[in-house]
Amino acid sequence: MAIYIVRRLIAGFFVVLGASFIVYILVANAGDPLTSSYGITDPVARAQRISSLTASLNLDVNPVFRYFLWLKGVAGCFVGQCDFGYSITTNQPVTGDLAGRILITLKLVLAATILAVMIGIAIGIITALRQYSGFDYTITFFTFLFFSLPLFFVAVLLKEFVAIQFNDFITKGAHIPWWFIWTAALVVGLTVYSLTRGQLNRRLLFGGGAAVLVGGILYYMSVTQWLLDPGLGPIVIAILGLGIAIGITELTAGVRNKKALRTALTTAAVGLVLWYPLQFVFYQGMTIWILLGLLGLAIAVGIGIGYLWGGDDPGVSARTGAITALLMSAVIFLDRTMQAWGPYTANEAIRGRPIKTIGDSQAGLDGDFWIQTVDVFTHLLLPTLALILISLASYTRYTRASMLEVLNQDYIRTARAKGLTERTVVMRHAFRNAMIPLATIVAFDIGGLLGGAVITETVFQWDAMGRLFQSGLVNNDPNPVMAFFLVVAIVAVLFNILADLLYAALDPRIRVGSL
Amino acid sequence: MTAPGAPDLQHVAGGTAVPEPPDVPNRADETSFEQKETVGLSQAQIVRRRFFRHRGAMISLIVLIFVLLLSVTSIGIGPIKGWWQWTPYDRPVPQNPRGEPTLSLPFFGGTGFAIGDHPMGQDETGRDLFAAIMRGVQNTMVVIIILALLSTTLGVVIGAVSGYFGGWWDAALMRFTDTIIIIPVILIAAVAGYAIGASGVLPVAIVLGLFLWTGLARLVRAEFLALREREFVDAARVAGASSRRIIFKHILPNSVGVVVVNTTLLMGAGILIEVGLSFLGFGIRPPDISLGSLISQYTGALTTRPWLFIWPGVFIIIIVLCIQFIGDGLRDAFDPRQKRIPKQKDLKEAVSSPSEATP
């Protein structure tokens, strides 16, 4: 195993080395860095600029040898002295803001990827379980449709029809129009109707109930102008907590499992009780680290409650408790973030138009941790939406295909034949095995994330990794392009290896040496 | 397969269908659905039948052919003139203020149905957008056909050699594939645009084709790794077949499904990649017209002249969507594992009338 990993790492190292040489030669031929200097009218200044650029970029050296000069600077990373060379557009070393740019790109793509994976897997499983149903066909059509959209086309449409229209809607008093309420209720009702199994009466009841519920909530939001100053409050949190507890128990253990159900309900109750004292904690000196610490604590408490209830299988209860705690924390976090929405919208840097179409943060915004959090969300909303819509298709299709293949296996038939509940068959026998090929795809995709955001960053004007690459190419600035390439290539190669290892670890039939 | 137990079953259960008591002989089980459909058909016939039954794929195929015919006949190819009165290079005087579309549909804000001289509108120089889009469709098709030919050839040859011979060949070719994968396509397009001064249709198509074969190569290699261990390959080798013959006559026909499906999907992805390249300024550039160059040229026009942005987008979506559905239909047709899970209702029907069981 160790030998295999080392061999792969060495091979990966040489792949990056070889590719970087090719790319360096390509970049050297992609444009003349002196192009902008030729435009300087003053001959003395022009000569100075040309000679200084020639010296700093080693332009008098043949590209093949220049590559090794560049490599020498990069090799300094091993001793802690990275030198990616100068950028001629900013006249700064490229290394300076590289880490910051990577973080911004990660912020952009990570949330979108995680959400797309989760939503895609959920939809994929449901469509596999309801193969060739109306729901399956509808979802297939829409995911294909979203996949066919060019990213910047979606982005431009979202800017126009989501951001600007929503901001107008907020400015006009946040009264939800009737057509929206009716459409939303109808869509939800039809979805629930087509997903419910059983007699027509039962399906109509569930579908109609869901439609009335959604319509009612939207009407309430419209009348109270809830979107101007949203918040959940203890009553809604209690209802949500109950729903989460029962839903999670149903998925992980089944509501028949009394210990698990009690664990989930206790965890939800603890979350509800802690909601009020937490408001004071949230009020002063919040940082992202305290928040993450609280989240970890919550999950630990959930696990603890699971073990306290114990039972025949305390592991199941602990898992139920942990997931419930995670979701309750998310609800409480959401509630607190919503409370900051009103002050954020009223902030003088925002001027009542909260959804942002460009950039990654609002300049000149002063506010506490929660206002900054809302600011991150309002900037992330459109790019995340665009990325999710486009990448949803592949995850949904992969999950569906993988799930269908597993559901056709003999051991699923055996599991059904020996009388296991449908929940156990789907969640424990089918789902886990269907996820094995998907894990490698996700690992592979994450490897390509940093490099995949060039168009997104350009259209939403985020100044991060993709911009470094794109503006470097446009301005004939070789060093930023090389820095982008090197980071992206290393991450891609590492995650590629990880994907193979993950596959071998998850599926014992795969022998790692034979890959 | 007949089920003589069926009448007894209904009798025993008092008229209501109780599914599958343990002692019913010859019961119509799940496999019989699959078998009945394919009895006496060759592999190619089965695949063709399954493809033609895929409704989405068939509709998409018809729509795609219609769009192609429309683009070819309306403005013609090369020197041959089509039936449309404008070409993408005419600059007629704008008919409506700001070149608004003359297409009028009832229920969409129009007073009645009318096509007019410029159904999709004109741009700020007066160019007829319909003619431009049709030229864009033609060029985009040229791009994806060249892309498909190049990348399929490269991918199949590299994957086949790598998977069949293994060992040193495999290691070298796969490391080469890894190297190509991590080189950004945008960079290649930029270099092609600068160094050769090439921003036309052919250079972009060739660049894309030369660099997008990697996924196919890996899949073909995986297929070959599995297939080369099979008995029919041993049989061919014992009979004295050369490696080339085994690769192209024995193994490749068995992996044609993977190749066809992935080439189709690659063509769809290729359009989107070309659009992305155009948007970043490294793809096909004017005077050559592609759907990508049109839509990126008019990105800023959404608020002032929305039709310039929307119509090319609609055509991109139609073409890519059709290709996606065709690819999906091909995958279902070629993949024997994509079985349909019989519904409880079908099983009951099969038990009561096995000869007319329809899946």
Side-chain angles (χ1 to χ4, degrees), chain B residues 54 57 87 97 103 126 135 174 224 226 240 249 263 299 333 353:
Chain B
H54 197 286
T87 71
L103 182 70
R135 175 71 75 212
M174 279 301 114
F224 269 66
K249 291 278 174 184
T263 305
T299 301
S353 61

Side-chain angles (χ1 to χ4, degrees), chain A residues 143-166:
Chain A
T143 48
F144 276 17
L145 181 68
F146 294 146
F147 185 77
S148 315
L149 299 168
L151 197 136
F152 70 93
F153 187 76
V154 188
V156 171
L157 290 185
L158 282 179
K159 281 182 183 184
E160 180 64 26
F161 294 111
V162 174
I164 296 177
Q165 302 269 339
F166 182 82

Side-chain angles (χ1 to χ4, degrees), chain A residues 13 70-85 94-95 98 483 486-487 490:
Chain A
F13 175 77
W70 175 82
L71 197 64
K72 197 179 115 200
V74 173
C77 288
F78 290 110
V79 292
Q81 286 204 319
C82 277
D83 179 16
F84 284 77
V94 178
T95 337
L98 198 61
L486 201 65
V487 172
I490 290 175

